[in-house]
Amino acid sequence: MTIALKSFSLLAYGVKPQMLASTIATTSRPVVFRSSVFAAVRLLNTSSTEIKNGISTKLSENRPRRALFYVPGSDERKLHKSISVAADCIVYDLEDSVAASKKGSARQMIMDALEASEHGKAEKAVRINAVGSGLELDDLNVVLHTKRLQAIVIPKVQSAKDIQFVSRMIDSVAPESNRANIRLIASVESAMGIMNLKEIATADPRLDALIFAAEDYCADLGLVRTPSRLEMLFARQQIVTTASAFGLQSIDLVCVDYQNLDILKEECREGREFGFTGKQAIHPGQIDTIQEYFLPDPKDVERAVKIMDGFELYSKKGVGAFVVDGKMIDMPVIKWAQKVVAKAKAGGMEIPELDAQNANDGKNTKTK
């Protein structure tokens, strides 16, 4: 098995297929499934639970990731404490927070933590070491065996090959009953990663989200980190734009000044305005603030419900555009409303129940 897995790694980095015929025979799934058309289908069919090629094509909105909280895999106290945190996504870390001498023990500690706890509704993920580091195979050979694993965060993603390698490993190692449940989250941390964003975003249907890793990105480009964060504006907006184009979530940078609540709130507000769907967290004290900021505003939810009710009412009459509260509503606004309601539901918000006939009786809405 070890030889075969190493062959997968070589195949992902361009070794001729004929040299690895026996390895290729062990996987029945093509490397690349998603095209721009497939991504568009995902965007249009937001309620679909269809399985294609053994992989769920649900939109990532079905798994909210407002706060993506990192837990060092070698710290037993923090692993135990993570059971009680309320983050949407708990990421057990095997990469930067774990010393080289503790990688092996951290893998087993994370495996034990995954097997022993439920974490309520939190998604359970593991951040492996970077593909090409020489550590990723050992990471995946351990953590993929648990049926509790729901996502893998891949750090330092440079190209589609990194995503495709991990996806093939899932097909080879993970229990068959859990393969369709494991999502991939790509962390973009370099100039090359930003340049290859479209290739990365369309690499594999398991990919659910893009992360912007600010510190590594600034180090790669030699940027000077400033309180304004303007030096990262281009990269952050590239992440959001690409993620939105291909139906993925976008997770914003870590607030490294974790004891300063005002800075955290400022970064959350800015990230929401940019279009990010969530934010990374490194301290439990950051989670509640992040989760609150990345929920839709209740006023937006109320307006979105009005729009959806109006759409339901007038579409039955064959009417395309209509008016709500004095403003014209057409398909782009309806899509916005759908996303707002979906995010609100995923975040556990109470959705106002408006009767379509009463809410759109001509007082608030009329056809155009």
Side-chain angles (χ1 to χ4, degrees):
M1 178 62 75
T2 301
I3 293 173
L5 294 179
K6 287 183 177 179
S7 297
F8 275 124
S9 183
L10 294 170
L11 184 63
Y13 281 93
V15 176
K16 293 181 179 180
Q18 55 266 37
M19 296 175 64
L20 298 170
S22 61
T23 298
I24 295 172
T26 66
T27 180
S28 60
R29 190 169 67 83
V31 171
V32 181
F33 294 120
R34 192 205 302 263
S35 63
S36 58
V37 174
F38 179 71
V41 170
R42 290 185 66 194
L43 283 170
L44 290 172
N45 295 287
T46 57
S47 62
S48 174
T49 57
E50 184 179 2
I51 301 295
K52 293 188 177 182
N53 298 308
I55 298 171
S56 171
T57 58
K58 283 183 179 180
L59 273 178
S60 53
E61 279 88 338
N62 293 326
R63 287 194 191 177
R65 298 185 183 97
R66 292 168 296 164
L68 193 145
F69 176 56
Y70 294 104
V71 181
S74 58
D75 191 320
E76 187 173 1
R77 181 184 64 84
K78 292 180 180 179
L79 286 171
H80 180 73
K81 191 175 180 179
S82 70
I83 296 173
S84 62
V85 301
D88 284 342
C89 180
I90 297 173
V91 182
Y92 292 119
D93 187 28
L94 283 169
E95 199 212 8
D96 287 347
S97 67
V98 179
S101 61
K102 293 189 175 181
K103 298 286 187 183
S105 59
R107 292 182 189 110
Q108 192 55 54
M109 290 168 69
I110 286 176
M111 187 72 169
D112 292 343
L114 287 168
E115 287 293 327
S117 58
E118 290 292 343
H119 297 295
K121 296 181 180 180
E123 179 183 48
K124 293 170 284 293
V126 173
R127 179 167 72 171
I128 62 171
N129 287 280
V131 175
S133 67
L135 300 168
E136 72 278 14
L137 280 174
D138 289 335
D139 293 343
L140 292 166
N141 269 322
V142 173
V143 302
L144 282 175
H145 284 287
T146 176
K147 294 182 180 180
R148 296 281 180 88
L149 181 67
Q150 295 174 292
I152 296 173
V153 176
I154 310 170
K156 298 178 175 59
V157 173
Q158 300 267 41
S159 70
K161 292 179 182 178
D162 299 336
I163 308 295
Q164 293 158 3
F165 165 71
V166 176
S167 188
R168 287 198 297 273
M169 286 289 291
I170 293 170
D171 286 330
S172 177
V173 178
E176 189 171 354
S177 61
N178 196 43
R179 290 175 188 173
N181 188 48
I182 301 173
R183 312 286 179 89
L184 298 177
I185 302 172
S187 183
V188 179
E189 312 184 12
S190 66
M192 186 60 69
I194 293 295
M195 294 301 293
N196 290 335
L197 271 177
K198 181 179 178 181
E199 172 190 330
I200 291 167
T202 58
D204 192 275
R206 281 192 172 101
L207 187 66
D208 240 16
L210 300 176
I211 291 173
F212 177 61
E215 306 310 317
D216 287 89
Y217 176 77
C218 288
D220 186 58
L221 275 69
L223 301 180
V224 177
R225 204 59 160 92
T226 68
S228 72
R229 298 173 294 280
L230 285 174
E231 67 278 3
M232 297 176 286
L233 178 63
F234 172 76
R236 291 170 74 196
Q237 294 191 335
Q238 284 284 92
I239 292 279
V240 169
T241 301
T242 305
S244 181
F246 295 103
L248 307 175
Q249 293 171 342
S250 51
I251 313 298
D252 202 8
L253 49 77
V254 169
C255 179
V256 293
D257 196 351
Y258 65 89
Q259 292 182 318
N260 192 320
L261 185 59
D262 290 335
I263 292 178
L264 176 62
K265 288 180 177 180
E266 180 186 336
E267 287 190 11
C268 287
R269 176 193 54 76
E270 181 182 77
R272 279 276 285 113
E273 290 175 356
F274 280 11
F276 281 99
T277 59
K279 187 174 180 66
Q280 300 166 85
I282 55 173
H283 190 276
Q286 296 178 316
I287 294 171
D288 287 346
T289 299
I290 292 173
Q291 303 243 122
E292 181 181 351
Y293 266 82
F294 282 90
L295 277 176
D297 188 291
K299 292 181 180 179
D300 287 339
V301 176
E302 185 177 351
R303 174 168 169 76
V305 170
K306 277 187 179 182
I307 290 169
M308 294 304 300
D309 281 342
F311 174 65
E312 181 180 356
L313 175 66
Y314 287 111
S315 61
K316 291 177 181 177
K317 299 178 179 180
V319 176
F322 55 95
V323 172
V324 172
D325 295 334
K327 295 183 179 180
M328 194 272 286
I329 306 299
D330 57 7
M331 191 52 66
V333 182
I334 292 165
K335 288 181 178 179
W336 167 85
Q338 289 174 328
K339 289 182 178 181
V340 169
V341 172
K343 287 179 181 179
K345 286 182 177 178
M349 292 182 72
E350 186 174 336
I351 309 299
E353 292 292 338
L354 297 182
D355 178 74
Q357 186 65 43
N358 292 334
N360 303 285
D361 59 1
K363 185 177 181 180
N364 291 322
T365 67
K366 59 182 180 179
T367 59
K368 292 293 285 184

